[in-house]
Amino acid sequence: MAPRRARKRAEGGASSNVFSMFDQSQIQEFKEAFTIMDQNRDGFIDKEDLRDTFAALGRINVKNEELEAMVKEAPGPINFTVFLTMFGEKLKGTDPEETILHAFNVFDTEGKGFVKADFIKEKLMTQADRFSEDEIKQMFAAFPPDVCGNLDYRNLCYVITHGEEKDK
């Protein structure tokens, strides 16, 4: 009989290498983010690390329930490997950039690369998987419309699928 680790590997179990999902520069960026969030430098991200990270970003009154929900998304203590695995799982469910761009292109009849933020807000709040007001605020906080009220959807799609802004 094969050793347990070999059986898991043969069955496609939990020993798949999360590090193979990302290139070296992405892993380095995730490591830097992990190090910033691991405020007490113990090698794990816990509720207090998250609270301190939010505080550093200017969000002071984070509810305990919200922090607990974040920590509970992990299968156990959040070390760097778990952190990387969680990002891999989140990104794996993302549609390809081309698919997301195509969805926005339907509304950009002139092909300029942007759509009116008010129009997108209305569509996201009234169609299919409806966004809440808070989700809209979060999106526009991360990707604010320009002074004319336009949303640069090409950059938004790039960040959704690659996790970082394109050099303009």
Side-chain angles (χ1 to χ4, degrees):
M1 188 159 170
R4 192 162 60 135
R5 188 176 287 180
R7 275 199 318 263
K8 267 191 172 179
R9 215 175 282 132
E11 295 165 3
S15 63
S16 64
N17 188 355
V18 67
F19 292 93
S20 66
M21 294 175 65
F22 303 102
D23 63 40
Q24 201 57 42
S25 66
Q26 289 173 308
I27 292 170
Q28 185 58 40
E29 287 179 21
F30 283 122
K31 185 65 175 173
E32 289 171 18
F34 180 86
T35 301
I36 290 169
M37 294 175 73
D38 181 18
Q39 296 279 313
N40 62 8
R41 303 291 183 255
D42 66 352
F44 295 90
I45 295 174
D46 57 21
K47 281 190 332 188
E48 288 310 311
D49 290 324
L50 291 175
R51 185 180 310 285
D52 292 345
T53 300
F54 275 116
L57 295 170
R59 188 165 168 218
I60 306 298
N61 298 323
V62 182
K63 293 180 182 167
N64 238 2
E65 298 80 30
E66 190 176 355
L67 297 171
E68 286 172 10
M70 289 179 192
V71 171
K72 283 182 183 174
E73 285 186 41
I78 306 171
N79 62 17
F80 180 65
T81 303
V82 170
F83 181 79
L84 195 60
T85 301
M86 291 172 72
F87 269 96
E89 289 169 356
K90 295 278 186 198
L91 293 173
K92 191 167 54 174
T94 304
D95 288 324
E97 183 177 8
E98 185 179 316
T99 302
I100 300 170
L101 277 171
H102 181 69
F104 277 104
N105 284 338
V106 170
F107 303 115
D108 181 15
T109 56
E110 297 176 25
K112 293 184 176 182
F114 58 83
V115 291
K116 289 291 183 189
D118 288 341
F119 176 78
I120 287 299
K121 176 183 177 180
E122 189 259 328
K123 292 297 176 200
L124 290 173
M125 292 183 76
T126 61
Q127 308 292 315
D129 292 334
R130 295 183 176 125
F131 276 44
S132 69
E133 189 68 40
D134 282 344
E135 290 169 322
I136 294 292
K137 285 179 184 173
Q138 287 175 359
M139 182 181 81
F140 287 149
F143 302 97
D146 66 17
V147 293
C148 297
N150 296 316
L151 179 67
D152 176 358
Y153 69 82
R154 290 181 182 156
N155 191 39
L156 173 64
C157 293
Y158 186 88
V159 173
I160 289 170
T161 56
H162 294 85
E164 58 191 40
E165 263 190 83
K166 255 189 216 181
D167 294 330
K168 292 186 180 183

